[in-house]
Structures are given as structure tokens and as C-alpha cells.
Amino acid sequence: MARRLLVTRPLAQAGPWVEALRGRGVDAVALPLIGIEPVADPAEVHAAWARLPALDWVMFVSANAVERFFAACPPGAAWPPALRAGAPGPGTRAALQAAGVAAIDEPVPGRADSEGLWARVAARGWAGRQVLVVRGEDGRDRLADRLRAEGADVAHVAAYR
């Protein structure tokens, strides 16, 4: 019986995974189970771009969040060079680097998730800091809740749905 591996990531991420797996001799096929689309009204994303210079940290939940946030950049807006961004894993880090973000916080080694990212940044002293979490319309608040518990002022913006 022939075996086939189904890659269920959204289409934009499934392609590279399928190619890499096929390169290793795996019969892989893309079967995206989630579609990623821009938000219907980018007004909140545009407002978030305007607030960037006043922020202390921006955490992106995924590569999709990065790609959609930067795709919705309004004319004349730019990422502040000194603003740090959080990436819970290597895909998000790569998307941030591709977008030109230089100051990126990553998880501790061996943890490619928000818990690993928290382990990296927890000791920074978050009281009074302004943080933005860029995510989809639905998302978990685990890291945001920890930041709030440490005194940060945390806002969310949905960059995709």
C-alpha cells in the first residue's frame, strides 16, 4: 500500500513543506484545511501602524500575522528600526526578517511557541510597557495575559481572518 503525507497548513505555507518533503522522497500533497484572508476592513491595522512609534514591543503570533500586517501597511508608514518584535517560532522570525525587521525576540532553544518566547522575555520588566499583539480574528491570549499580569498595557489587532 502506497503512503501519502497530507500537509494541512494554509496554502502559502503548504507549498514549501510539500517541496521539502518531496525532496526527501516523501509522497506529500497539499491539502489546506484553513484559508487565510485579509481582514474585511484594514482600518484597525492602519491605526496600529500609526501607533508603532509609541510601542515598546509587537508580538506576531505567526508568519501569516506578519505577512498580512505588512501587506496592509498604509502609504508613508514604516516599521520603526528600534522597535522589537516577538516571534514564537522560526517561520515567524523568517517572515519578520523578510519584512525588514531587525530586532527580533525568539523563543528559548527547544521551544518554538509562545511559552518559549515568554521564557526569553519574561524578565524584562513589563510594567507600564505598551505592547501590541498581531494575530488573526480569533486567537489565544496566553502570552497577552502573562504580559498584562506583569503590568503591560496590551492591545490586539487582527491582521487576517
Side-chain angles (χ1 to χ4, degrees):
M1 171 190 260
R3 292 190 175 173
R4 174 171 285 164
L5 179 67
L6 301 176
V7 179
T8 61
R9 300 288 302 158
L11 187 58
Q13 286 105 35
W17 277 101
V18 168
E19 287 178 31
L21 289 163
R22 286 182 180 167
R24 293 178 176 236
V26 177
D27 180 16
V29 176
L31 180 65
L33 295 181
I34 297 175
I36 303 294
E37 300 175 346
V39 291
D41 181 3
E44 287 186 29
V45 176
H46 291 173
W49 273 97
R51 290 193 322 263
L52 289 181
L55 297 176
D56 296 299
W57 198 56
V58 180
M59 194 287 219
F60 291 87
V61 302
S62 65
N64 288 314
V66 174
E67 290 163 6
R68 295 301 176 164
F69 186 77
F70 279 85
C73 179
W79 183 267
L83 181 57
R84 297 195 68 78
T92 308
R93 181 195 70 237
L96 284 165
Q97 289 171 328
V101 177
I104 302 170
D105 295 311
E106 310 177 55
V108 295
R111 293 291 310 258
D113 58 16
S114 61
E115 295 297 317
L117 180 58
W118 177 247
R120 169 79 67 198
V121 302
R124 287 205 179 144
W126 291 98
R129 293 198 179 201
Q130 301 295 308
V131 175
L132 177 67
V133 176
V134 181
R135 65 181 193 181
E137 288 181 341
D138 298 315
R140 297 177 298 174
D141 289 332
R142 186 174 301 149
L143 184 57
D145 289 343
R146 285 194 163 179
L147 288 161
R148 281 189 195 97
E150 294 296 321
D153 182 8
V154 180
H156 294 94
V157 65
Y160 66 93
R161 60 187 184 123

